[in-house]
Amino acid sequence: EVQLVESGGNLVQPGGSLRLSCAASGFTFSSSRMNWVRQAPGKGLEWVSYISGGSSTKYYADSVKGRFTISRDNAKNSLYLQMNSLRAEDTAIYYCTTEASWGQGTLVTVSS
Amino acid sequence: DIQMTQSPSSLSASVGDRVTITCRASQGISNYLAWFQQKPGKAPKSLIYDASSLQSGVPSKFSGSGSGTDFTLTISSLQPEDFATYYCQQYNSYPLTFGQGTKLEIK
């Protein structure tokens, strides 16, 4: 069974940093393309970032480019999202996703 | 960026009804379209990929069709557990983009 478990969400002040993690199991993580998708409170879904299985290709939404960095550790079956210079508009539930599965999400709140 | 437009934004239906949700892409995306179901307080769940292929374990009451720019999700014989918000998503090119969602409510 595919499992994706996000962690690292928290309350952080504007301008602060946070690192999200996603622990994956039940599938061949090293060959799987992975994405982060977020959902602001009461809003729709917004794609954030993509990383290929071998980390050679990465993409970012314009809204986070230059502030967020996606990475992975295939030896640990883990996906990461380093978030810097956080803004109030980054407040959302962040989901780790494969092409068919989603984690339960982790809440990031940016507020003073 | 490819814009995805869903209609309607909300829909009221009764148990046993058949409903159709439409998703339109701002440019052709072949069949690179997925549909997701989201219930309140839960993560989205993948229903359909490649416009018409059912994910494993998804009941056949859900069906998708379309290619190019126009797509539909049809849900037959609505049951109480089907009332949720539905999103389409294109994966023809990055950035991935979602429709704004269709909230399916009980009449």
Side-chain angles (χ1 to χ4, degrees), chain A residues 39 45 47 50 95 100 102-103, chain B residues 36 38 43 46 55 87 94-95 98:
Chain A
Q39 186 170 35
L45 302 169
W47 170 78
Y50 160 85
Y95 296 102
W102 294 56
Chain B
F36 299 89
Q38 187 177 33
S46 178
Q55 286 286 0
Y87 294 93
Y94 282 86
F98 293 87

Side-chain angles (χ1 to χ4, degrees), chain A:
Chain A
E1 179 194 4
V2 172
Q3 280 205 322
L4 298 167
V5 180
E6 301 93 336
S7 60
N10 211 333
L11 171 63
V12 61
Q13 291 189 340
S17 297
L18 215 51
R19 189 196 197 205
L20 305 184
S21 299
C22 172
S25 61
F27 63 103
T28 307
F29 180 75
S30 60
S31 60
S32 295
R33 297 174 286 189
M34 301 295 297
N35 289 280
W36 287 99
V37 175
R38 68 185 180 183
Q39 186 170 35
K43 302 297 184 182
L45 302 169
E46 180 189 16
W47 170 78
V48 173
S49 186
Y50 160 85
I51 186 168
S52 61
S55 302
S56 60
T57 303
K58 302 176 184 180
Y59 299 124
Y60 299 93
D62 285 346
S63 57
V64 307
K65 202 172 294 182
R67 301 187 298 122
F68 289 12
T69 301
I70 193 170
S71 63
R72 65 193 295 160
D73 185 336
N74 287 340
K76 295 183 177 179
N77 282 359
S78 293
L79 176 71
Y80 306 102
L81 187 68
Q82 177 67 42
M83 304 187 297
N84 299 331
S85 303
L86 282 161
R87 306 167 180 167
E89 54 265 35
D90 295 320
T91 294
I93 297 173
Y94 285 72
Y95 296 102
C96 159
T97 80
T98 66
E99 288 163 348
S101 299
W102 294 56
Q104 85 289 346
T106 188
L107 177 62
V108 172
T109 303
V110 183
S111 175
S112 55

